[in-house]
Every structure is written in C-alpha cells, then in structure tokens.
Amino acid sequence: MLKVENLVAGYGKVQVLQDVSLEVPQGSLVTLIGSNGAGKTTTLRAVCGMIAAQSGRIMLDGAEITGLAPHQITRRGLAHSPEGRRVFPTLPVADNLLLGAFTRVTGSRPKGDVARDLDRMYAMFPRLAERRAQLAGTLSGGEQQMLAMARALMLAPLVLLLDEPSMGLAPRLVEEVFSIIARLKAERVTMLLVEQFAAAALDVADFGYVLENGRVTASGPAAALKNDPAVRAAYLGTAH
Amino acid sequence: MTSEYSMQVLAQLLVSGIAVGMIYGVIAFGYQLTFATSKTLNFGQGEALMLGSLVGLSVVTITGYWIMLPIVLAFGMIQGAVVERLGVRQAIKTKSEAGWIMATIALGIIFKNLAENIWGRDALKFPSPLPEAPLSFMGVNVLPMEVVIVFGALAMMLLVEVFNRRSIYGKAVVATANDRDAAGLMGINTSLVITFSYALSSMTAAFAGVLVAPVTLTGASMGGALGLKAFAVAIIGGLSSGMGVVVGGLILGITETLTGYYLSTGYKDVPGLVLLLLVLSLKPSGLFGSATIKKV
Ligand SMILES: Nc1ncnc2c1ncn2[C@@H]1O[C@H](COP(=O)(O)OP(=O)(O)O)[C@@H](O)[C@H]1O
Ligand SMILES: [Mg+2]
C-alpha cells in the first residue's frame, strides 16, 4: 500500500536520510524503530510531503506521490498523526475532528458517512466525547494525543502514519494508546508506527524496520526482530 | 456657552468619532485577517480601500448604488489575491522578513499612481445612497450614512466571523492560522487559504472605501492616511484579537475628533500616534492581543 524506495532527504543542505526503503502492505501494521535522532520523524515528514525527497521514490496505492505537496498527498488518502500532536488549539475538539475529514466534506475524497465516523471516534476515545466542545488547546497531553490520532483517522485513510503516539505520556496512557493501536490493527487499518518504545511496538506490529543514522540497518517480522541479538542489545535491553 | 450646549457638542463629536473609528476598525480587521494566516500584512491596505472606492464611483453611475456593492466586493477580492500572488507568496516561501513589507508598499504606490492616471488627483464627490440631510436626535445631528457606516462595518466583521466559525472552509482558515503545517496534513491547500485571506482583507478595505466615501470624498490619495491609522488601530487593538480592533478604532476615532475640536485640527493626528507609541512601548501585543508582530 505504501512503498518507500531509496529515499534520501533532509533539511536544507543537511542530509538526514541516507537511503531508506520500506514497505507497508495493505492491512498490516509496520513499525519503524530507532534511537532518538535516527531520522524516524524525518522519514514520515518526507513520506507525507512536509519535506522534499532529494532522491528516491514514494508510492501510495500503486501511484507515485514523490514531490507532491502535503495537502495533495492527504487527498490521495495518507493520514499523518504528527510528532508533537499539532492539534488546532483555538478550535473545539469537534472541529478538530471535522477538519480531519476536510477532504471528505469538500469532495476531494469519497465522502462516506462522516457523522457515523465521528460517532465511532467518540466511542473509541470516550474522553474526547466528553470534551467535544472544549478547545483543543485546553486538553491534557494524553487527550491531545488521542485527538491527533482520531483526527487522522477521520480521513478514513488508506495508510495511517503515527509518529510516537506515546511520547511524553504517563505509563497508564501509553498502555491505552497501544491498546487502541491494537484495536485499529484488528480492524485492518494499514499503519506505519514510529516508536521509541521498541518492545511495545514490536509486540503489536507485524513487521519492523530499524533505523540508524538515516539508514535501515535491520528489518524483518516483528517477532524475529524482537529475538535478534543485535536489536535486543541496542533497543530492547535498555528499553523502558 | 451653556453646559447643555456643550454636552450637545460633545455628543456630536462622539457620533462623528464613532463613525470614523468604525472605518479604522474595519480596515484594521483586514490587517488581522492576513496576519492570522500568514504573519504578513498588506501595507497597501489603504490603497485597496482607495481603489475600492474609486471603482465604486465609476460603477455606481452605471449600475446604481446597490448593484455597485457586490461588484466592488468582488473587485476587492481580486485585487487582494493579486497582491498576495505578486508581493507576498514568494516572500513567505523563502521566509524573507523584509520581502513582503517592501513588496506590499511598492504595490500600494503602483496602485496609487494607477489611480491618479485613471481618476486624476482631485478629491471627488461620491453619491450618497441615502438622504444627505442629517437626522436629529435630541439636538445631535447624525448623518444617515454615518449610521450605515457603523452597522455596515459591524455586519462585515460579523459575517467573516460567522463564516470562520460555522463553515468548513472558515474552519480551514482558522486551522491554517493555528498551525499551517498541520492544516496541510488535513488536506487543506494552505497557500490558497493565504491567498483567500488577502482577498478577504482587501474586500473589507474596499467595502470600507465605499462606506466612507460619501462622507469624506474620494480620490487617489485617500488611502494613505487611513491605511496608516488603521495600522495603528491594529497595533492598539492587537493583531490577533478579533474585536480588539473595534475598540481600538473607536478609541482612535473619538480621540481624534475630540482633539480636533477642543485643541486644534492641526493636532488631530497627534493623540492617536501618541497612543500608538504608548501601546508599542508598554504592551506591544496590543491592548487586547496575545501575539506580537514579530514572527514567532
Ligand atoms: N527541522 C529540522 N531542521 C534541521 N534538522 C533537523 C530538523 N528536524 C530534525 N533534524 C535533525 O534530523 C535528525 C533526525 O531527526 P528526527 O527525524 O527528528 O529523528 P527521530 O524522529 O528519529 O528522533 C536529527 O539529527 C535532527 O537534529
Ligand atoms: Mg521523532
């Protein structure tokens, strides 16, 4: 469904990604793990068009999306719950969710049943339902994370990118986030999950990639990666 | 001079001050619209007002007053979009701080020269859609057009607010103002939103131009002072606070007319500028605002 081939990208003259290739088959949950600064966020930013690829190809649903602007890529069905949540602070929760479906409401994606999907989000994230009229800027960090995920899901995306949904959350909330990811996986939502909690990510994922200094250094079925001695030493031994 | 008479004079001055202040307010509101989405301003906002007013003057003789209004609004939108495309877009793309300032000032000068060549340099009379005889309320004279200015300006600002809060496209504008990158991830074409906010901004200025013209006369040079004073109002009221500009506009409009009467018309422009300097040194985010003009 999503395919990244020999991606090279960075910021200005600084090249961060040297050569990244990965694949997210339809209906699967793929995780991209790696230490802080490895280039995980940069990979997602390049995939969704926020930064330009210097070379390489990005394919979504069989069509090339390399070089398109973020809004065009979203209109092709790629949703991104970005690092740092980036909810719209001066808008209520309900409007944040509605904007997740902006392309559906305005006709550049198949409309489906937006109202029903809103209800589904409120059922999946009950705390958002309680706070639907509250401004997003006044939510707690955990609630904002839920909102960022729900907002991305409102696209009814072909692929969902999740950038460290557990970042900065209390352990109980981290568990909640992972249980929601497991639930989305059961619903066969295609996902690329970036995580620093490598153990938890590999537990829930089908397949994993390890990123080091802008290069993929290991990959394989999640269970196999989890037992790989090198991966264990680098990411699981000292993991939380 | 009886005290009753002087109260009447004061009330009279307040009425004129409020009408002028609402004009400042609605132009300042236009500054806010583009600042919200792009952190840039159209320093040719006064010229957008002037062009709206002169185009209105030419159209009104053909179509009559009420059909002229939507034509001027549409013209304002196009003019604003042109300013954004020619003067602002590239500067935003290259993150040039000075680029958009120079470009919008330059475009303003070009528009003024253009207007001088088309409509001449003299002040022109703009036909009033309403009777020009003042109405009298308890001895205070109010021009019907002054009432239209106040309610027209309020209605324009209210409409934009309702659009932003209720429609999905308005919400896309607010989202772009909140976080441009995140708005892009929603599938919102944020470049188009910024163009649109310039269009809307010039549209409000053009509307202000046809509102004020029957009271003040129109002409190629009418924009400069109005644009500058409205800029002061936007700073006083805060570039990010919706209704702060109305209060700021009224403060400036009223102090100006009071100074003009009680001190001297020669000092009419001083109190507003003093107020501007005070606000800039004491509370740079404006009396009601939370964001400063410096890029964050
Ligand atoms: N906006 C930016 N401008 C310049 N360099 C950046 C920017 N964002 C990240 N980097 C650099 O790119 C590298 C990879 O960062 P990032 O992709 O955020 O890592 P990760 O998400 O894996 O922690 C780091 O060295 C970081 O300093
Ligand atoms: Mg990161």
Side-chain angles (χ1 to χ4, degrees):
Chain A
M1 181 54 65
L2 177 69
K3 204 166 172 187
V4 176
E5 295 170 0
N6 307 107
L7 176 65
V8 178
Y11 304 91
K13 292 204 175 70
V14 187
Q15 196 171 308
V16 174
L17 305 180
Q18 313 296 334
D19 178 11
V20 174
S21 297
L22 56 83
E23 196 169 346
V24 185
Q26 179 158 17
S28 69
L29 168 48
V30 173
T31 186
L32 180 62
I33 58 176
S35 49
N36 204 2
K40 305 181 296 295
T41 296
T42 305
T43 304
L44 296 195
R45 284 194 185 135
V47 167
C48 76
M50 285 168 80
I51 60 172
Q54 284 159 25
S55 68
R57 287 209 312 168
I58 304 162
M59 312 285 290
L60 175 66
D61 197 18
E64 182 158 1
I65 56 169
T66 328
L68 296 183
H71 72 271
Q72 293 168 320
I73 293 177
T74 304
R75 291 173 186 190
R76 303 280 187 101
L78 184 98
H80 184 181
S81 169
E83 182 175 80
R85 296 139 199 170
R86 311 286 287 266
V87 297
F88 301 116
T90 74
L91 287 171
V93 167
D95 284 353
N96 270 268
L97 292 176
L98 187 65
L99 283 166
F102 177 81
T103 54
R104 298 168 62 191
V105 177
T106 57
S108 49
R109 298 275 315 148
K111 182 149 195 184
D113 192 340
V114 174
R116 196 206 58 196
D117 288 347
L118 252 178
D119 289 340
R120 280 184 49 216
M121 288 307 127
Y122 286 137
M124 194 182 292
F125 304 94
R127 235 172 328 205
L128 296 182
E130 291 163 26
R131 289 170 173 42
R132 62 181 83 188
Q134 199 172 317
L135 298 186
T138 66
L139 299 179
S140 72
E143 290 160 353
Q144 289 192 1
Q145 185 56 57
M146 307 286 172
L147 179 56
M149 288 171 70
R151 182 182 66 176
L153 283 165
M154 283 301 291
L155 182 68
L158 299 177
V159 179
L160 172 62
L161 310 182
L162 293 170
D163 196 344
E164 297 212 40
S166 64
M167 191 195 266
L169 299 189
R172 192 179 48 78
L173 283 170
V174 172
E175 238 171 74
E176 197 174 325
V177 163
F178 272 101
S179 81
I180 284 164
I181 291 171
R183 189 164 149 196
L184 293 172
K185 182 190 175 186
E187 293 176 13
R188 305 206 48 81
V189 177
T190 309
M191 282 179 281
L192 176 57
L193 169 67
V194 158
E195 259 304 334
Q196 268 197 73
F197 283 110
L202 288 174
D203 272 340
V204 71
D206 298 306
F207 202 91
Y209 292 86
V210 178
L211 197 63
E212 267 174 52
N213 296 321
R215 282 177 205 282
V216 173
T217 54
S219 66
L225 268 188
K226 228 186 151 180
N227 294 319
D228 182 311
V231 172
R232 288 185 75 90
Y235 302 102
L236 303 175
T238 57
H240 322 259
Chain B
M1 213 198 298
T2 65
S3 80
E4 192 184 328
Y5 173 75
S6 58
M7 283 312 290
Q8 256 178 30
V9 169
L10 183 63
Q12 185 73 59
L13 292 169
L14 286 179
V15 167
S16 320
I18 287 170
V20 180
M22 285 308 294
I23 290 294
Y24 295 154
V26 79
I27 309 168
F29 182 71
Y31 283 119
Q32 282 185 338
L33 292 176
T34 63
F35 188 74
T37 56
S38 66
K39 299 281 177 287
T40 64
L41 304 168
N42 179 5
F43 282 106
Q45 190 79 332
E47 279 66 37
L49 173 145
M50 170 275 291
L51 280 182
S53 163
L54 286 171
V55 166
L57 179 64
S58 293
V59 173
V60 78
T61 52
I62 306 166
T63 64
Y65 193 85
W66 300 107
I67 295 177
M68 174 273 293
L69 279 183
I71 294 174
V72 165
L73 295 184
F75 170 82
M77 291 196 87
I78 294 166
Q79 192 262 345
V82 167
V83 169
E84 194 273 340
R85 284 293 164 108
L86 294 183
V88 182
R89 174 162 297 197
Q90 202 53 34
I92 293 177
K93 207 174 269 173
T94 56
K95 299 194 163 48
S96 151
E97 285 280 358
W100 58 267
I101 300 178
M102 282 315 298
T104 57
I105 291 175
L107 284 168
I109 294 171
I110 292 171
F111 286 130
K112 185 171 175 228
N113 283 335
L114 201 67
E116 284 171 347
N117 283 304
I118 298 175
W119 288 280
R121 288 161 177 270
D122 299 330
L124 304 166
K125 183 156 169 35
F126 196 101
S128 175
L130 298 172
E132 287 177 87
L135 310 166
S136 183
F137 297 104
M138 297 183 297
V140 178
N141 290 331
V142 181
L143 293 174
M145 206 52 213
E146 287 176 333
V147 178
V148 171
I149 286 174
V150 171
F151 287 100
L154 281 176
M156 171 62 76
M157 289 185 268
L158 211 65
L159 273 178
V160 173
E161 283 298 309
V162 168
F163 169 79
N164 278 348
R165 275 169 212 227
R166 298 262 171 243
S167 84
I168 184 82
Y169 293 101
K171 287 168 189 182
V173 172
V174 178
T176 304
N178 272 206
D179 185 334
R180 189 174 169 192
D181 284 338
L185 293 179
M186 302 300 106
I188 296 164
N189 183 349
T190 55
S191 295
L192 196 61
V193 168
I194 290 172
T195 307
F196 175 73
S197 67
Y198 266 81
L200 220 51
S201 170
S202 281
M203 184 192 83
T204 55
F207 182 63
V210 290
L211 278 184
V212 76
V215 181
T216 62
L217 302 178
T218 177
S221 57
M222 80 184 287
L226 279 172
L228 190 65
K229 286 177 184 172
F231 182 65
V233 164
I235 301 297
I236 292 169
L239 274 165
S240 61
S241 98
M243 288 299 146
V245 286
V246 174
V247 180
L250 294 181
I251 292 175
L252 185 61
I254 290 169
T255 46
E256 265 186 19
T257 38
L258 293 184
T259 316
Y261 183 81
Y262 291 112
L263 284 177
S264 142
T265 46
Y267 286 116
K268 190 162 125 2
D269 295 335
V270 173
L273 296 174
V274 169
L275 192 62
L276 172 67
L277 292 174
L278 278 178
V279 169
L280 278 178
S281 57
L282 299 178
K283 194 167 182 306
S285 59
L287 292 179
F288 310 91
S290 52
T292 59
I293 188 168
K294 200 173 171 332
K295 216 164 181 166
V296 278

